[in-house]
Amino acid sequence: MSAKQPTNMDATPARQGSKASPAKKPALTLLLAAPRGFCAGVDRAIRIVELAIERYGTPIYVRHEIVHNRSVVDRLEKLGAVFIEELDEAPEGARVIFSAHGVPKSVAREAARRQLFYLDATCPLVSKVHGEAERHHRAGRTIILVGHARHPEVIGTMGQLPDGAVVLVETIADAEKLKPPENSALAYITQTTLSVEDTVDIVAVLRRRFPSIAGPHKDDICYATTNRQEAIKTVAPHADLVLVIGSANSSNAQRLVEVARKAGASNARLIENAGAIDWNAVASARIVGLSAGASAPELLVDEVIDAFRERFELTVEETIVTREDVEFKLPRALVTG
Ligand code: SF4
């Protein structure tokens, strides 16, 4: 964007014996995208673990990372949460929480069979998609799920129905070559954390090939995913570099990086935290865009801003595309006396 590269080498070294004057820092503008970071579903899931620990003591077992963020998981582990991947890792009599991504029905059945006490932290917007899948199944439709294989939300959604009832489509090519059972009525649902633009294209193929397919008005991508993508799209074209705070297994954060690139960022990267910033990549930038996936706490954003402030004469500008006031109720077991 600018011919001159800002670098700390611009400072003139202080002469020996003279009073050292502070090195002049290069100027940099940080464009903060808003909304960013925690969504209502993540907030609720974390609160469920905290309240369960307060109410029942430790250990509290959590099946799968409660949300896909390392710092959140580390903090909850320190409070006494024990993260497991499968229910059989929880001992008899354990108290278990299911993660925000949702679980197959077989998991809740197994917990009930073993008489484990469990709380479901599945985001209500994921549960809504589960409900849609069940409704279509009852109506005799074959369900096409647009999503990413192996993501826990997809595993949980497919696991709401018997094997074969849900067919996964990941790409436009999958949608083009899909061969549903003959004479079967069809419906589609989507993962909540997809790229809005990519999903529009996949759904367009499904609607063209199967004009009577049932489905949501557009898709099932949640408000938080949509808003964070809108915000990064606004910031990205003005930035030399876009940084998205989030863990590598966060679908939401990964999509933000892709959306930033598509929106014109010449360079967009996912960083776990301030310690992961590649300052060599920053050196050639004058304007840096910053966002955070829905499972990344604002504390990590603050730490990144502080790290920039240490190295640059920093101007911080925030672009707010919308304000969010969504809140989800907590399970009754945790809020009643
Ligand atoms: S990203 Fe969306 S679906 Fe996922 S927890 Fe947040 S609000 Fe719920």
Side-chain angles (χ1 to χ4, degrees):
M1 194 175 215
S2 166
K4 186 171 186 297
Q5 316 265 300
T7 142
N8 287 329
M9 302 300 283
D10 288 352
T12 310
R15 283 207 198 116
Q16 266 207 330
S18 68
K19 198 173 167 200
S21 58
K24 192 168 171 352
K25 299 180 201 172
L28 187 135
T29 300
L30 207 50
L31 298 180
L32 285 182
R36 63 177 173 275
F38 275 8
C39 60
V42 162
D43 212 36
R44 172 179 180 270
I46 294 169
R47 215 45 214 127
I48 287 173
V49 178
E50 291 168 345
L51 287 172
I53 290 171
E54 270 173 37
R55 180 168 283 231
Y56 305 113
T58 58
I60 291 286
Y61 290 82
V62 183
R63 186 187 176 278
H64 194 69
E65 289 188 350
I66 186 75
V67 300
H68 282 158
N69 186 269
R70 197 60 240 165
S71 73
V72 170
V73 168
D74 288 348
R75 188 178 71 79
L76 293 174
E77 267 177 345
K78 283 191 190 116
L79 292 179
V82 177
F83 289 89
I84 55 176
E85 276 312 306
E86 294 303 336
L87 213 50
D88 58 17
E89 296 167 53
E92 294 313 310
R95 292 190 166 90
V96 185
I97 296 174
F98 302 151
S99 82
H101 313 95
V103 291
K105 277 212 166 121
S106 57
V107 172
R109 272 200 300 270
E110 176 61 8
R113 188 194 66 76
R114 287 183 55 199
Q115 298 187 321
L116 299 176
F117 171 88
Y118 68 88
L119 292 165
D120 189 355
T122 302
C123 175
L125 299 182
V126 174
S127 301
K128 179 172 150 273
V129 180
H130 293 177
E132 279 174 43
E134 286 188 290
R135 184 169 56 79
H136 290 308
H137 185 62
R138 280 197 301 275
R141 298 178 182 121
T142 297
I143 296 155
I144 298 160
L145 169 60
V146 182
H148 295 298
R150 292 181 296 282
H151 189 279
E153 181 184 327
V154 164
I155 293 167
T157 301
M158 294 185 84
Q160 299 306 301
L161 296 172
D163 283 354
V166 183
V167 181
L168 183 65
V169 158
E170 293 188 85
T171 60
I172 290 179
D174 289 350
E176 288 286 7
K177 62 176 192 262
L178 179 73
K179 286 200 180 91
E182 264 186 46
N183 300 324
S184 167
L186 299 177
Y188 75 88
I189 55 177
T190 78
Q191 191 178 333
T192 58
T193 52
L194 300 177
S195 150
V196 173
E197 283 184 13
D198 292 355
T199 307
V200 165
D201 295 341
I202 295 172
V203 168
V205 172
L206 294 175
R207 287 195 179 281
R208 171 175 54 75
R209 289 195 60 209
F210 313 109
S212 58
I213 194 168
H217 174 55
K218 260 172 42 213
D219 52 53
D220 297 301
I221 298 171
C222 73
Y223 80 97
T225 300
T226 307
N227 290 346
R228 281 149 192 71
Q229 288 179 16
E230 273 309 305
I232 201 78
K233 257 164 51 181
T234 309
V235 160
H238 307 290
D240 308 312
L241 167 71
V242 170
L243 298 177
V244 174
I245 303 169
S247 290
N249 57 352
S250 164
S251 168
N252 193 285
Q254 291 280 13
R255 301 295 82 76
L256 284 177
V257 175
E258 292 168 6
V259 169
R261 285 184 189 139
K262 274 197 180 171
S266 39
N267 191 354
R269 296 169 176 221
L270 185 71
I271 53 166
E272 182 81 47
N273 51 36
I277 298 171
D278 175 355
W279 294 106
N280 288 328
V282 176
S284 57
R286 286 285 167 87
I287 302 177
V288 174
L290 181 62
S291 183
S295 44
E298 187 66 9
L299 179 71
L300 297 182
V301 176
D302 293 341
E303 287 174 2
V304 167
I305 295 173
D306 289 346
F308 270 91
R309 215 183 285 288
E310 273 175 26
R311 292 166 174 81
F312 295 95
E313 195 56 48
L314 196 65
T315 305
V316 180
E317 293 173 14
E318 189 171 50
T319 303
I320 303 171
V321 297
T322 187
R323 293 186 191 276
E324 295 176 344
D325 57 2
V326 180
E327 267 182 51
F328 296 129
K329 282 189 191 150
L330 290 160
R332 266 222 305 229
L334 294 175
V335 288
T336 49

